[in-house]
């Protein structure tokens, strides 16, 4: 098939909690345009705080669906004002905040199909296309009861993690659906289809309700993460026998268009009628698409610490744990993304900086470099907030590991003040390294690159410690983000259509994607050997921390 235009563009949209972002890339994957809408500032009539509404029930957090529709119109206006030629756009995809859900009414399909180009989206779809005017989002924590009921129905938290890639979490969609069914049966009965935020986004462009995408479906507690199909036991437990019809067809893989753009967009904004709509995914998978390929790890060193690990296809299935998430990969069949989330990231590092390094990163870095690798056997754990991994630990804990066979707890007064900056970096990174080994299948090829993002990724000393502990070359992410990942998914579907197939990695190799990030740290292999020997002592220390916290609360 020949392209209708010589210099095509690809649109990626990112609907996050606080705003809607649009990026355009060209056929080489180069970023050429960005626009954004901030919900609180640009659409203040909805009364959101950071894009969300809390309550009325305890733990309940939602966002108005009509606000998202208005944001679509507003961002198109801003793109047009910036001179974007919509006729050059040959593919659209994107991502939504994971886990959030949208509830369509019986009239939704008819209203989507008959969109009138002379009127804005919200005027035509809200409220009649929705059985619930507000969408539960990932910040919602009102479903603890439903989480326990789902785990009980499947045989426990580990059984659910083995099946879906995650234990039951309050923000996961199955538990949100179950709560709506319990507290608002009228709205649930009136719901014809349920979308994730991502598939809701695609539906607006298609003019029909889009299937849920396979990687984003991994964050629902409804899909078998290995077969990538809905599980009937989970559907029954969460939503009764009618949920199978409400959830729609089996999850859609990436890399192929769902259909062409609805005439509404051609007539109202000037899109090319040949523009294809690819499945939209979740924000975390889209970030992986933007920054890495299977064989890479992304470590976000922001307020929290998040590891996103691309696991290439392997003969042995990745191990599933109740303290991590396993997602299907958005572009590569039989590949996965493992995700580890830590609450105590930058906050804990900043507290150590303030207490032991005079509040300055320069002094913090000097102290790290003054101490030997392994910190002369001093190991410290710093949890100012209740942690996720390991779960529910809080406080500071210190150990001597100078004799690995005799690890013992010590008092903070026994730790040299100069040892704390290196101690927090080593314990935070050893926690991740100890789990990477367990998550990766035994026959998986070794990881190639560690891509750092977030505020601490600018710190050269932290980069080097990461390179040494993980034994990987370290690269730093640029401005790439979830929206660009969405645009790459659109380009990938177009590229495969143009070339009669091919892998995402082949497409990225052709445009030199791996060369755009700069290597900022090489591992010192002597140091890596020291850290390899500290993994088991670290695990022993962590087990002692978990036991101490459990005993303190029992």
């Amino acid at each position: 098939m020949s392209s209708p235009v010589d210099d095509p563009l690809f649109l990626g949209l990112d609907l996050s909690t606080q705003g809607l972002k649009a990026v355009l890339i060209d056929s080489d994957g180069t970023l050429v345009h960005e626009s954004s809408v901030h919900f609180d500032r640009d659409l203040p009539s909805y009364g959101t705080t950071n894009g969300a509404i809390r309550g009325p029930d305890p733990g309940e957090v939602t966002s108005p669906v009509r606000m998202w529709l208005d944001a679509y119109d507003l961002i198109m206006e801003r793109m047009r004002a910036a001179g974007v030629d919509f006729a050059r756009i040959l593919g659209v995809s994107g991502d939504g905040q994971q886990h959030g859900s949208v509830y369509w009414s019986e009239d939704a399909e008819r209203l989507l199909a008959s969109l009138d180009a002379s009127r804005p989206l919200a005027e035509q779809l809200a409220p009649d296309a929705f059985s619930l005017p507000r969408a539960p989002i990932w910040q919602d924590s009102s479903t603890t009861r439903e989480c326990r009921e789902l785990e009980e129905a499947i045989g426990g938290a580990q059984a659910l993690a083995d099946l879906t890639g995650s234990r039951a979490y309050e923000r996961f969609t199955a538990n949100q659906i179950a709560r709506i069914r319990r507290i608002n049966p009228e709205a649930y009965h009136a719901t014809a289809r349920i979308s994730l935020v991502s598939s809701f986004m695609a539906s607006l462009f298609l003019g029909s309700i889009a299937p849920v995408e396979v990687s984003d479906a991994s964050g629902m507690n409804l899909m078998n993460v290995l077969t990538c199909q809905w599980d009937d036991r989970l559907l029954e437990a969460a939503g009764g026998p009618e949920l199978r019809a409400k959830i729609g067809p089996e999850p859609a893989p990436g890399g192929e268009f769902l259909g062409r753009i609805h005439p509404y967009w051609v007539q109202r904004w000037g899109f090319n009628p040949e523009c294809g709509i690819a499945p939209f995914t979740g924000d975390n998978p889209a970030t992986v698409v933007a920054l890495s390929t299977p064989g890479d790890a992304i470590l976000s060193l922001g307020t929290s610490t998040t590891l996103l690990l691309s696991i290439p296809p392997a003969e042995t299935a990745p191990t599933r744990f109740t303290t991590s998430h396993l997602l299907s990969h958005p572009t590569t069949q039989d590949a996965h993304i493992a995700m580890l989330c830590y609450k105590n990231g930058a906050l804990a590092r900043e507290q150590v900086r303030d207490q032991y390094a005079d509040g300055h990163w320069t002094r913090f870095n000097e102290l790290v470099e003054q101490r030997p690798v392994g910190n002369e056997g001093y190991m410290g754990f710093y949890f100012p907030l209740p942690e996720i991994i390991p779960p529910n630990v809080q406080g500071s804990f210190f150990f001597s590991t100078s004799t690995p066979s005799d690890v013992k707890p010590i008092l903070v007064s026994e730790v040299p003040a100069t040892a704390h900056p290196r101690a927090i970096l080593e314990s935070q990174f050893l926690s991740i390294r100890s789990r990477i080994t367990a998550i990766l299948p035994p026959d998986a090829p070794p990881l190639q690159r560690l891509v750092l993002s977030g505020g601490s990724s600018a710190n050269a000393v932290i980069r080097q410690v990461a390179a040494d502990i993980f034994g990987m070359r370290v690269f730093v992410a640029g401005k790439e983000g979830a929206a660009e990942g969405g645009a790459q998914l659109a380009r990938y579907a177009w590229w495969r259509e143009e070339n009669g197939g091919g892998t995402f990695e082949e497409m990225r190799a052709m445009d030199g994607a791996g060369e755009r990030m700069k290597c900022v740290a090489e591992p010192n292999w002597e140091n890596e050997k020291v850290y390899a020997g500290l993994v088991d002592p670290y695990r022993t220390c962590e087990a002692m921390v978990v036991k101490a916290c459990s005993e303190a609360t029992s």
Side-chain angles (χ1 to χ4, degrees):
M1 170 183 170
S2 60
S3 298
V5 294
D6 294 329
D7 49 354
L9 298 175
F10 304 93
L11 172 62
L13 290 165
D14 167 42
L15 202 167
S16 67
T17 315
Q18 299 190 47
L20 178 65
K21 181 179 180 181
V23 304
L24 286 171
I25 61 173
D26 63 18
S27 57
D28 293 325
T30 302
L31 186 69
V32 297
H33 172 81
E34 292 183 73
S35 291
S36 63
V37 171
H38 186 272
F39 296 143
D40 292 2
R41 182 176 59 246
D42 294 327
L43 298 167
S45 64
Y46 290 98
T48 57
T49 301
N50 297 321
I53 295 172
R54 298 189 177 275
D57 292 343
E60 191 173 85
V61 186
T62 57
S63 288
V65 179
R66 184 176 183 128
M67 178 180 73
W68 294 343
L69 298 174
D70 279 340
Y72 256 64
D73 278 302
L74 183 54
I75 207 160
M76 292 296 150
E77 289 174 6
R78 290 181 173 175
M79 291 174 68
R80 183 162 62 186
V84 168
D85 181 359
F86 290 99
R88 289 175 57 195
I89 299 173
L90 293 187
V92 179
S93 185
D95 71 276
Q97 50 183 292
Q98 285 197 259
H99 318 299
S101 46
V102 175
Y103 298 77
W104 299 96
S105 72
E106 295 284 353
D107 294 327
E109 286 282 16
R110 175 182 58 80
L111 292 169
L112 283 168
S114 58
L115 287 170
D116 178 355
S118 68
R119 301 163 61 201
L121 289 171
E123 188 180 304
Q124 302 181 70
L125 296 177
D128 292 347
F130 308 103
S131 53
L132 284 173
R134 301 211 305 253
I137 64 169
W138 67 275
Q139 294 174 330
D140 188 286
S141 60
S142 65
T143 64
T144 301
R145 167 180 168 177
E146 284 72 24
C147 288
R148 301 294 80 79
E149 289 174 350
L150 184 64
E151 289 178 345
E152 184 178 343
I154 300 301
Q158 185 62 59
L160 187 62
D162 289 341
L163 180 60
T164 71
S166 300
R167 67 170 174 84
Y169 286 89
E170 280 80 359
R171 66 187 185 276
F172 274 44
T173 323
N175 310 302
Q176 296 293 331
I177 292 170
R179 179 174 182 268
I180 288 169
R181 182 184 180 221
R182 174 172 63 85
I183 69 169
N184 195 346
E186 295 83 5
Y188 185 72
H189 179 73
T191 299
R193 287 284 297 276
I194 299 172
S195 288
L196 293 182
V197 176
S198 57
S199 55
F200 156 79
M201 297 169 72
S203 302
L204 299 177
F205 283 106
L206 284 170
S208 61
I209 298 174
V212 174
E213 182 267 348
V214 67
S215 189
D216 210 11
S218 308
M220 299 178 74
N221 281 147
L222 289 175
M223 185 189 80
N224 182 318
V225 75
L226 297 183
T227 66
C228 298
Q229 295 192 327
W230 304 122
D231 184 274
D232 285 328
R233 290 176 299 161
L234 295 168
L235 294 172
E236 177 74 30
E242 62 268 42
L243 184 55
R244 165 64 79 164
K246 294 179 190 291
I247 213 70
E250 297 294 346
E256 54 190 48
F257 287 132
L258 298 171
R260 299 300 170 193
I261 198 165
H262 189 273
Y264 172 86
W265 299 91
V266 178
Q267 296 163 16
R268 185 172 179 85
W269 300 107
F271 275 84
N272 193 306
E274 291 300 308
C275 176
I277 309 303
F280 285 47
T281 191
D283 51 0
N284 286 306
T287 300
V288 170
V289 169
L291 296 179
S292 73
T293 58
D296 288 348
I298 298 171
L299 183 58
S300 173
L301 298 173
T303 304
S304 60
T305 294
T306 302
L307 180 84
L308 293 165
L309 186 65
S310 292
I311 304 175
E315 292 297 322
T316 307
T319 305
R320 278 84 76 204
F321 296 98
T322 58
T323 54
S324 62
H325 307 292
L326 188 72
L327 313 177
S328 296
H329 199 279
T331 66
T332 307
Q333 187 175 5
D334 297 326
H336 293 87
I337 300 168
M339 189 163 74
L340 300 173
C341 297
Y342 295 81
K343 192 179 293 185
N344 293 284
L347 173 65
R349 292 190 295 275
E350 288 164 4
Q351 287 194 1
V352 169
R353 176 203 63 190
D354 294 344
Q355 188 169 355
Y356 298 105
D358 304 323
H360 296 292
W361 285 116
T362 301
R363 179 60 179 158
F364 181 98
N365 290 348
E366 290 172 353
L367 292 173
V368 172
E369 293 185 307
Q370 287 173 12
R371 300 289 300 179
V373 171
N375 215 9
E376 296 180 330
Y378 293 107
M379 190 170 288
F381 292 73
Y382 307 82
F383 303 120
L385 299 172
E387 189 47 87
I388 301 170
I389 302 173
N392 303 316
V393 297
Q394 188 171 14
S396 296
F397 307 85
F398 305 96
F399 299 88
S400 171
T401 63
S402 53
T403 306
S405 60
D406 185 27
V407 174
K408 57 184 180 182
I410 57 176
L411 300 173
V412 64
S413 58
E414 299 177 72
V415 181
T418 56
H420 289 280
R422 180 169 280 277
I424 189 169
L425 295 182
E426 290 185 343
S427 67
Q428 286 188 339
F429 292 163
L430 281 169
S431 174
I432 297 169
R433 173 166 174 164
S434 71
R435 288 170 168 83
I436 287 177
T437 307
I439 290 171
L440 283 174
D443 54 345
L447 296 171
Q448 300 298 314
R449 303 188 307 173
L450 180 66
V451 180
L452 298 185
S453 64
S456 296
S457 66
N459 186 312
V461 171
I462 292 178
R463 293 170 179 174
Q464 189 59 54
V465 174
D468 293 347
I469 290 181
F470 293 105
M472 286 189 276
R473 302 175 75 207
V474 170
F475 294 74
V476 171
K479 294 184 178 180
E480 301 93 338
E484 183 176 348
Q488 295 290 2
L489 291 172
R491 181 170 78 108
Y492 179 48
W494 169 83
W495 181 84
R496 291 188 75 227
E497 196 172 75
E498 290 284 299
N499 292 280
T503 67
F504 186 78
E505 292 71 35
E506 289 169 342
M507 179 190 76
R508 294 290 268 166
M510 291 175 64
D511 56 47
E515 300 170 6
R516 295 182 183 177
M517 280 188 283
K518 180 182 177 183
C519 180
V520 295
E522 298 273 358
N524 180 310
W525 293 107
E526 290 301 316
N527 293 348
E528 191 277 334
K529 289 179 184 176
V530 174
Y531 288 123
L534 284 174
V535 171
D536 284 341
Y538 169 84
R539 289 178 175 143
T540 301
C541 295
E542 184 185 280
M544 295 170 76
V545 170
V546 171
K547 182 179 179 183
C549 290
S550 177
E551 290 173 349
T553 57
S554 61

